[in-house]
Amino acid sequence: MSTAATLPPLALYIHVPWCVRKCPYCDFNSHAAGAELPEAAYIDALLADFASELPAAQGRSISSVFIGGGTPSLLSAAAYQRLFSELREQIAFSADCEITLEANPGTFEQDKFAAYRALGINRLSLGIQSFAPEQLKALGRIHGRGEALNAASAARQAGFDNFNLDLMHGLPGQDLDAALADLAQAIDLKPTHLSWYQLTIEPNTEYWSKPPRLPEDETLWAIQEHGQALLAQHGFAQYEVSAYAQQGREARHNLNYWQFGDFIGIGAGAHGKLSHIDSAGHWQIERRWKTRTPKDYLNPEKAFCAGSESISSADLPFDFMMNALRLHAGVPSELYHARTGQPLSTLKPALTDLRRRGLLVEDEARLCATPQGQMFLNDLLQQFLAD
């Protein structure tokens, strides 16, 4: 069997680091855009960055692409046309490659949707966050309710039959009725996928230094419980901690992350995870990350890669399980060896104990947390930490 066939599937993550302005809750690597983006220079850098990563592909094709940020929809369709045209000269894309672009729902971005679809981007992820004007203002969003409502229709008219809506709950001052009204409105727009998750206050954000008043735990629990029931009622199955999809519309790119696949990361602040098998059959799995600031990333005198580290054999169980057990259906047990090169038998004592305690399902063919295990996932994962 060839190395390419033995290695995990390979995806591509592309980071666009600019936003019109920084939202107060956001801890992603994003920077306020100036009057004019260095679009052509950034595409040049992305292509050079990918060329430097190409040996790690080891003959594999790209199975999925995710363009995240920042606000990737700030870049023109012409920029993406050039990017993908030249990427395809370097590497093959699978025939059914899922290509997702994150977009703001503003009118400026909606005008580009048809052009994005025409060049081969086949999935949108729209950053709605809320439909309530007061919440949009509190969250620092630059679009209004009307634009949020129009975005799904604009995506569909542009030819996107597969799109995600990003929606948060547990927002400042939000009660149960308001959270469910937001969710019901999102469902009415008939997306194929919903990312529905609770707002958390992260370090190095404006909300961290000036925390807003968030709902009490009792309200947060009620929102979660009633919201999940509403989603299930409308055919959205929860397949991951904060991901819900219509049948067959799970995000393939994110599934690759959670199933411990490989991915090349290009762009300012992008991360990647890559596997290598040497001639003796020994595995090495490495994480890499790129320089964060656009200024440094565009500086030809600086390296794209800011650092890398190999995942030790002792740390692999935790790394694998931290991803795989986020999935409500878990993964086939055989995937552990297929994605790490390690025999599953080394984990037998921990797996036996967790099944005895009711935290993993009683099925040796699957690695899957029980509903109780999902509730105490962090505690469950402690069993796989290196001594």
Side-chain angles (χ1 to χ4, degrees):
M1 184 179 292
S2 70
T3 299
T6 306
L7 287 169
L10 181 66
L12 172 63
Y13 175 73
I14 302 169
H15 192 79
V16 178
W18 294 287
C19 287
V20 173
R21 70 177 181 222
K22 185 84 169 178
C23 295
Y25 60 86
C26 179
D27 69 336
F28 295 157
N29 183 38
S30 59
H31 307 264
E36 187 173 343
L37 291 179
E39 188 175 80
Y42 197 69
I43 298 300
D44 287 342
L46 288 173
L47 289 166
D49 189 359
F50 185 80
S52 72
E53 295 278 2
L54 189 56
Q58 298 183 78
R60 291 172 288 177
S61 61
I62 297 295
S63 60
S64 66
V65 181
F66 195 98
I67 310 165
T71 306
S73 52
L74 289 178
L75 297 189
S76 69
Y80 287 119
Q81 178 69 59
R82 179 184 160 223
L83 175 64
F84 281 103
S85 175
E86 296 194 28
L87 284 174
R88 284 189 167 95
E89 292 178 3
Q90 297 188 52
I91 195 169
F93 284 58
S94 64
D96 62 346
C97 186
E98 176 194 88
I99 304 177
T100 302
L101 181 138
E102 286 185 337
N104 267 354
T107 302
F108 171 72
E109 283 84 1
Q110 290 179 32
D111 290 342
K112 304 176 186 177
F113 286 177
Y116 290 150
R117 185 67 189 91
L119 66 87
I121 294 169
N122 52 28
R123 185 174 181 270
L124 284 182
S125 181
L126 301 171
I128 302 292
Q129 311 310 354
S130 177
F131 295 94
E134 66 275 15
Q135 294 293 358
L136 291 171
K137 182 178 179 181
L139 293 170
R141 305 299 289 168
I142 61 172
H143 66 270
R145 175 180 170 83
E147 290 172 314
L149 291 173
N150 289 337
S153 176
R156 202 173 285 109
Q157 289 174 9
F160 288 96
D161 63 354
N162 189 14
F163 63 91
N164 170 67
L165 299 183
D166 227 45
L167 197 70
M168 292 196 293
H169 60 86
L171 304 178
Q174 189 180 57
D175 61 15
L176 173 62
D177 289 343
L180 293 181
D182 253 359
L183 185 56
Q185 179 63 81
I187 291 169
D188 282 348
L189 295 177
K190 294 181 169 52
T192 50
H193 190 284
L194 273 163
S195 297
W196 187 63
Y197 54 95
Q198 183 180 321
L199 169 66
T200 56
I201 307 301
E202 302 290 351
N204 303 314
T205 65
E206 184 180 327
Y207 272 2
W208 183 263
S209 57
K210 301 175 183 176
R213 185 171 183 177
L214 300 181
E216 299 292 335
D217 287 346
E218 184 178 342
T219 301
L220 293 173
W221 178 255
I223 290 172
Q224 187 76 28
E225 191 173 39
H226 286 79
Q228 288 180 335
L230 183 63
L231 286 159
Q233 178 186 336
H234 289 273
F236 287 91
Q238 183 179 17
Y239 68 98
E240 189 268 342
V241 172
S242 59
Y244 303 78
Q246 295 288 334
Q247 186 174 5
R249 293 298 196 171
E250 296 86 357
R252 279 187 278 155
H253 187 84
N254 289 343
L255 281 175
N256 185 61
Y257 288 157
W258 298 321
Q259 293 170 350
F260 217 55
D262 279 358
F263 54 99
I264 291 173
I266 61 173
H271 285 239
K273 175 242 167 193
L274 295 160
S275 305
H276 174 74
I277 305 174
D278 65 23
S279 57
H282 299 133
W283 282 65
Q284 181 181 12
I285 301 177
E286 181 184 56
R287 295 198 181 275
R288 303 180 188 177
W289 54 94
K290 303 301 170 66
T291 186
R292 287 178 58 85
T293 67
K295 179 181 176 182
D296 286 342
Y297 186 78
L298 291 169
N299 185 343
E301 296 182 2
K302 291 184 178 289
F304 294 120
C305 188
S308 65
E309 63 179 2
S310 293
I311 304 174
S312 70
S313 58
D315 289 334
L316 266 176
F318 178 82
D319 240 59
F320 178 91
M321 295 295 181
M322 180 176 61
N323 287 278
L325 295 182
R326 287 177 63 97
L327 294 170
H328 275 225
V331 298
S333 296
E334 63 191 23
L335 198 69
Y336 181 74
H337 175 68
R339 298 289 160 88
T340 67
Q342 291 192 352
L344 184 63
S345 58
T346 59
L347 304 183
K348 188 171 182 179
L351 296 177
T352 299
D353 181 58
L354 290 168
R355 289 186 176 117
R356 179 186 60 78
R357 292 163 56 193
L359 299 178
L360 288 183
V361 298
E362 289 283 352
D363 180 357
E364 293 196 0
R366 295 200 67 77
L367 299 171
C368 179
T370 61
Q372 183 182 6
Q374 287 285 343
M375 290 180 63
F376 299 100
L377 193 56
N378 288 338
D379 292 335
L380 186 162
L381 292 171
Q382 298 300 309
Q383 298 298 309
F384 301 103
L385 282 173
D387 294 332

